[in-house]
Amino acid sequence: EITFTLEQGVGVITLNRPERLNSFTAVMHAELARALDTLEAHAGLRGVILTGAGRGFCAGQDLGERKPAEDGSRRDLSENLEKLYKPLIMRLRALPAPVVCVMNGVAAGAGASLVLACDVVFAVESARFIQAFSKIGLLPDAGGTWFLPRLVGSARAMGAALFGEAVSARQAEAWGLIWRVVPDADLAATLADVRATLAAGPTRAYAATKQALHASSGNTLAQQFDLECALQRELGYTDDYLEGMRAFAQKRAPAFGGR
Ligand code: LHQ
């Protein structure tokens, strides 16, 4: 239910259940977990791209798999969240390389949370975000209540989460929920550009940047200085820093090897 390639250090995960807008099933979760095993074990990892097949990115949990019991019985929803969604989101956040979402269409429910867990998000102009949870009597999960207020502030987070109205890609960009909107026609080109950028990037610097920016929301300024010192010390010894400085002096583009 996904396709996964790993070339030149860049993993591309494509959610692939287009007829159900790539909504999550247990099978899809298992396949994503296997892809993450591979990505985590790859010493030369330089980036990951997440996208979807068809007109949607991800419509959240497959509601067919979680059918409300017609007989009125209730169920524990936390198990799925703890065993499937939490590891997925936490593992993507912890990867020592940027995870870039190239959002090809609508993201709803846990699908929206997945997008927000990515380090950088490009979205086609026709894409929308829907905090669909309240419409089925739930709260935003899969990290949604953590990501949303940090990205857009509590007023917008509350409005979006409580009322569940669609947020357009343009609005999401204006709010700072995503990095950039691209024309629908540029989807494939955006994916190719991101792939080339990640494959040729200063991978160690990217990893340190990701780590530091993620750590900042729980740190004081003094703690963040300590982290910057520790990480910059390491980067000062990398091949890529040497190459970056040489390229600057020689007025040419750097050729980073990711080391
Ligand atoms: C779907 C789905 C879907 C199955 C579209 N499932 N088939 C929840 C519970 C438990 C534990 C843990 O966490 C969670 C977290 C969650 O993610 S809760 C939120 C779940 N997601 C939603 O409530 C979103 C449901 N989908 C929608 O509201 C719409 O499909 C959106 C607004 C995403 C897109 O609308 P349209 O562009 O009009 O497409 P559509 O509704 O016609 O969908 C196309 C097909 O995909 C359709 O099937 P059909 O047989 O009629 O062609 C939908 O039934 C199916 N589909 N989402 N989540």
Side-chain angles (χ1 to χ4, degrees):
E1 301 184 344
I2 69 169
T3 61
F4 174 54
T5 60
L6 180 51
E7 288 162 20
Q8 295 173 287
V10 181
V12 180
I13 296 175
T14 306
L15 306 179
N16 193 22
R17 291 181 78 223
E19 69 291 348
R20 286 282 168 274
L21 302 183
N22 305 321
S23 50
F24 286 110
T25 61
V27 171
M28 185 187 282
H29 271 292
E31 292 181 13
L32 287 166
R34 274 201 298 280
L36 276 159
D37 290 342
T38 304
L39 293 168
E40 284 167 355
H42 187 62
L45 184 67
R46 301 190 77 169
V48 178
I49 299 173
L50 218 59
T51 190
R55 71 178 176 89
F57 173 71
C58 178
Q61 170 64 42
D62 183 313
L63 296 175
E65 259 193 9
R66 309 250 124 234
K67 271 206 175 57
E70 310 267 309
D71 62 4
S73 64
R74 324 278 163 114
R75 59 185 304 172
D76 181 352
L77 297 181
S78 71
E79 198 180 323
N80 221 16
L81 205 51
E82 186 72 33
K83 293 206 178 121
L84 301 178
Y85 288 96
K86 185 178 176 188
L88 170 64
I89 301 292
M90 301 297 280
R91 291 175 80 186
L92 286 170
R93 296 274 295 181
L95 280 177
V99 176
V100 179
C101 182
V102 179
M103 193 179 155
N104 55 301
V106 66
S113 302
L114 174 65
V115 175
L116 303 186
C118 293
D119 300 309
V120 179
V121 182
F122 290 85
V124 296
E125 202 154 12
S126 66
R128 306 165 282 154
F129 284 87
I130 306 176
Q131 294 296 322
F133 304 91
S134 65
K135 303 218 190 260
I136 54 170
L138 298 178
L139 87 155
D141 66 14
T145 59
W146 194 87
F147 294 119
L148 263 181
R150 279 173 174 73
L151 287 162
V152 299
S154 65
R156 286 163 174 163
M158 280 288 183
L162 293 176
F163 303 133
E165 288 163 20
V167 175
S168 68
R170 283 268 167 239
Q171 183 68 263
E173 186 191 60
W175 280 3
L177 191 64
I178 63 171
W179 167 236
R180 189 163 288 169
V181 178
V182 297
D184 284 54
D186 291 355
L187 176 66
T190 302
L191 212 135
D193 279 356
V194 171
R195 193 180 210 162
T197 302
L198 294 175
T203 304
R204 299 274 306 274
Y206 281 172
T209 303
K210 170 172 175 170
Q211 185 188 337
L213 287 175
H214 283 181
S216 74
S217 65
N219 274 351
T220 62
L221 178 58
Q223 288 168 329
Q224 197 67 15
F225 258 101
D226 291 345
L227 180 59
E228 287 179 1
C229 283
L231 293 171
Q232 207 72 298
R233 184 182 309 122
E234 285 174 24
L235 293 177
Y237 294 106
T238 60
D239 294 349
D240 281 349
Y241 171 60
L242 205 64
E243 166 60 10
M245 292 297 283
R246 279 190 183 136
F248 177 77
Q250 295 164 7
K251 298 190 187 299
R252 60 172 174 82
F256 293 126
R259 290 166 202 279

